[in-house]
Amino acid sequence: MVRTRPLKVALLGCGVVGSQVARLMTAHADDLAARIGARVELAGVAVRRPDRARGDIAPELVTTDAEGLVTRGDIDVVIELIGGIEPARTLINAAFESGASVVTANKALLAGDGTALHAAAEKQAADLYFEASVAGAIPLLRPLRESLAGDRVDRVLGIVNGTTNFILDRMESSGAGYGEALAEATALGYAEADPTADVEGFDAAAKAAILAGIAFHTRVRLDDVHREGITEITAADIAGARQMGHTVKLLAICERAGDGRSVTARVHPAMIPLSHPLAGVREAYNAVFVEAEAAGRLMFYGPGAGGVPTASAVLGDLVAACRNKLTGGLGPRESAYAQLPVSPMGEVVTRYHVSLDVVDKPGVLAQCAMVFAAHGVSIDTVRQSGKDGEAKLVVVTHRAHDAALGATVEALRRLDTVHGVASTMRVEGE
Ligand SMILES: NC(=O)c1ccc[n+]([C@@H]2O[C@H](COP(=O)([O-])OP(=O)(O)OC[C@H]3O[C@@H](n4cnc5c(N)ncnc54)[C@H](OP(=O)(O)O)[C@@H]3O)[C@@H](O)[C@H]2O)c1
């Protein structure tokens, strides 16, 4: 049954995602009404440049006064799709103060200020939904918050940035260097004019903070996430990975550590075996592996960005928030009761692939092996090749603390017989 008074929605931002949310709200208005139990009416659309063409949106709905729109008193749900920290944060808080629930895709804001936003929602008995903030269209946060609420999640491992996956995939498939692959990503619209947030891992780190917080019922801030980007990855690194049956991916990894008494969250490039399901994630797709005690291994895969796919996740949240408005119920709250400490990167246990340029003479391999042993790092495999007095030594270690692995590499650099450390990369997914 559809009730008489429509629910009023304020849309903040009408760009790549917002314009598609507005379009789909109109195109599917009858279905949404049937699913929610009330019609949903677009009450206003706040933008920065009001004179731009806005598709089928009635011009009288478009405003530059976002604050006036969210505080006018009759808005049921505010959809924030401006992005960035301000004015999004002020507007979301104003929405809660005015009694509205909020749907947002703003990972940067949630990773930095999630706790304060959740508290503001709690105070006003309002909903805060943010499915689209991680992995675009892929249903991931709701399964973690709701479907797995009775299980214990041990690990979340995933490709959560489409731009960097596209670049690494191109480097892998065509042998291109980083710069060439980035140029292609930019030309095809997969990378922004300033790609820093993507290629330096900031975007993935914000998503890792959100994922770790939900998975481990613990507050994980952006600063807690160790972050490395892909700008230093070379065609030689990709070829080296290929030689040992691996590929290179930018991974977000959140895990329980220290017998489950602490957690870690990190984003960095890593080699994974070609047989691993994440190795087959091509182009700009996203995929996330979740390992839970009872459920086992689950994989979520799909488009991690784009206006239309991301709008799907936003609309799913809109339906949930509207249903709660009608029934007087509330969606899941922030769950941070476990309050596990977040351990630094040095305590993460991982494996290294180290490629060294060394002098080609007897005893060098033994000398290097002693450096690994001195730091308590045991060697899994060694490959040596050389000619004309120069040699390459490629070592893959067993699992050890990241701090010990890092110290080993620094000590190797200081050996007279080591001309240089050509590359180091962590090895995951085995
Ligand atoms: N794009 C994706 O594929 C994707 C995927 C997942 C999540 N997200 C997230 O979704 C959010 C929106 O991303 P987007 O790509 O749609 O951004 P976008 O294309 O840059 O759109 C931003 C919109 O916000 C408006 N805006 C900017 N400053 C404003 C202000 N001060 N007051 C009112 N309106 C303002 C802009 O107005 P004008 O139109 O007048 O410039 C524009 O309509 C971000 O949090 C982003 O991280 C995006």
Side-chain angles (χ1 to χ4, degrees):
M1 194 191 80
V2 175
R3 65 176 205 159
T4 353
R5 183 180 89 75
L7 290 161
K8 295 203 171 169
V9 174
L11 181 61
L12 310 183
C14 191
V16 173
V17 184
S19 59
Q20 295 305 321
V21 168
R23 182 181 67 78
L24 292 169
M25 274 178 71
T26 308
H28 300 311
D30 292 343
D31 286 321
L32 289 172
R35 292 171 197 175
I36 291 166
R39 293 198 79 76
V40 180
E41 181 185 302
L42 197 53
V45 181
V47 296
R48 199 175 26 186
R49 295 166 293 179
D51 299 331
R52 292 198 120 194
R54 303 287 171 186
D56 292 337
I57 297 171
E60 62 272 19
L61 293 182
V62 177
T63 177
T64 53
D65 182 11
E67 183 140 11
L69 175 61
V70 299
T71 57
R72 69 185 217 184
D74 62 343
I75 301 296
D76 295 291
V77 180
V78 170
I79 303 178
E80 185 278 308
L81 293 170
I82 292 175
I85 305 302
E86 286 296 350
R89 175 170 49 195
T90 302
L91 292 168
I92 289 177
N93 280 312
F96 288 137
E97 287 286 328
S98 303
S101 286
V102 172
V103 173
T104 179
N106 195 329
K107 65 221 124 189
L109 186 55
L110 281 156
D113 274 304
T115 298
L117 293 180
H118 284 292
E122 185 78 39
K123 191 168 158 217
Q124 302 296 333
D127 274 330
L128 173 61
Y129 280 105
F130 47 98
E131 181 66 59
S133 64
V134 182
I138 307 172
L140 178 61
L141 303 189
R142 190 166 278 113
L144 277 171
R145 288 171 105 188
E146 299 184 33
S147 318
L148 292 168
D151 207 337
R152 176 189 137 117
V153 175
D154 291 318
R155 195 161 192 245
V156 180
L157 170 84
I159 296 166
V160 293
N161 182 273
T163 306
T164 46
N165 201 56
F166 181 89
I167 292 170
L168 292 172
D169 185 40
R170 276 295 182 273
M171 290 175 75
E172 163 86 42
S173 59
S174 71
Y178 168 76
E180 203 185 321
L182 171 61
E184 191 182 347
T186 310
L188 292 171
Y190 289 117
E192 296 191 20
D194 177 1
T196 311
D198 292 317
V199 299
E200 295 290 1
F202 290 102
D203 174 85
K207 293 166 179 170
I210 296 169
L211 285 172
I214 294 174
F216 306 131
H217 303 273
T218 283
R219 285 191 183 124
V220 179
R221 289 180 51 84
L222 189 52
D223 296 346
D224 296 324
V225 182
H226 174 85
R227 176 192 55 78
E228 294 169 32
I230 64 161
T231 53
E232 307 288 315
I233 304 290
T234 63
D237 291 329
I238 307 271
R242 174 61 67 165
Q243 268 183 5
M244 54 178 258
H246 284 55
T247 188
V248 177
K249 296 288 186 189
L250 182 72
L251 298 180
I253 306 171
C254 313
E255 349 176 70
R256 290 183 190 270
D259 296 333
R261 285 191 296 272
S262 65
V263 298
T264 59
R266 53 191 162 116
V267 167
H268 56 70
M271 292 183 183
I272 54 169
L274 289 168
S275 57
H276 193 283
L278 289 180
V281 178
R282 307 289 310 273
E283 306 214 312
Y285 278 87
N286 283 195
V288 178
F289 236 72
V290 176
E291 294 175 21
E293 188 182 71
R297 291 177 153 199
L298 309 169
M299 182 150 152
F300 300 83
Y301 172 85
V308 183
T310 307
S312 164
V314 172
L315 287 173
D317 281 353
L318 175 66
V319 168
C322 287
R323 284 177 178 157
N324 291 340
K325 279 276 170 192
L326 291 184
T327 59
L330 283 174
R333 325 309 296 158
E334 183 190 32
S335 174
Y337 72 92
Q339 293 187 3
L340 296 169
V342 186
S343 298
M345 185 64 197
E347 289 178 29
V348 166
V349 175
T350 181
R351 299 172 67 204
Y352 265 30
H353 174 281
V354 185
S355 177
L356 303 167
D357 294 321
V358 296
V359 178
D360 189 12
K361 65 175 191 186
V364 173
L365 174 55
Q367 200 187 12
C368 291
M370 278 173 63
V371 172
F372 281 91
H375 289 85
V377 175
S378 79
I379 292 174
D380 182 14
T381 60
V382 181
R383 258 186 307 119
Q384 194 172 12
S385 56
K387 61 173 184 190
D388 304 332
E390 280 289 322
K392 189 153 267 324
L393 205 57
V394 177
V395 178
V396 180
T397 73
H398 282 298
R399 283 160 65 79
H401 281 117
D402 200 80
L405 291 162
T408 306
V409 172
E410 284 317 304
L412 288 166
R413 269 186 222 283
R414 290 194 294 271
L415 291 181
D416 289 343
T417 47
V418 173
H419 288 160
V421 178
S423 77
T424 60
M425 203 178 302
R426 297 179 185 92
V427 183
E428 297 287 338
E430 290 178 306

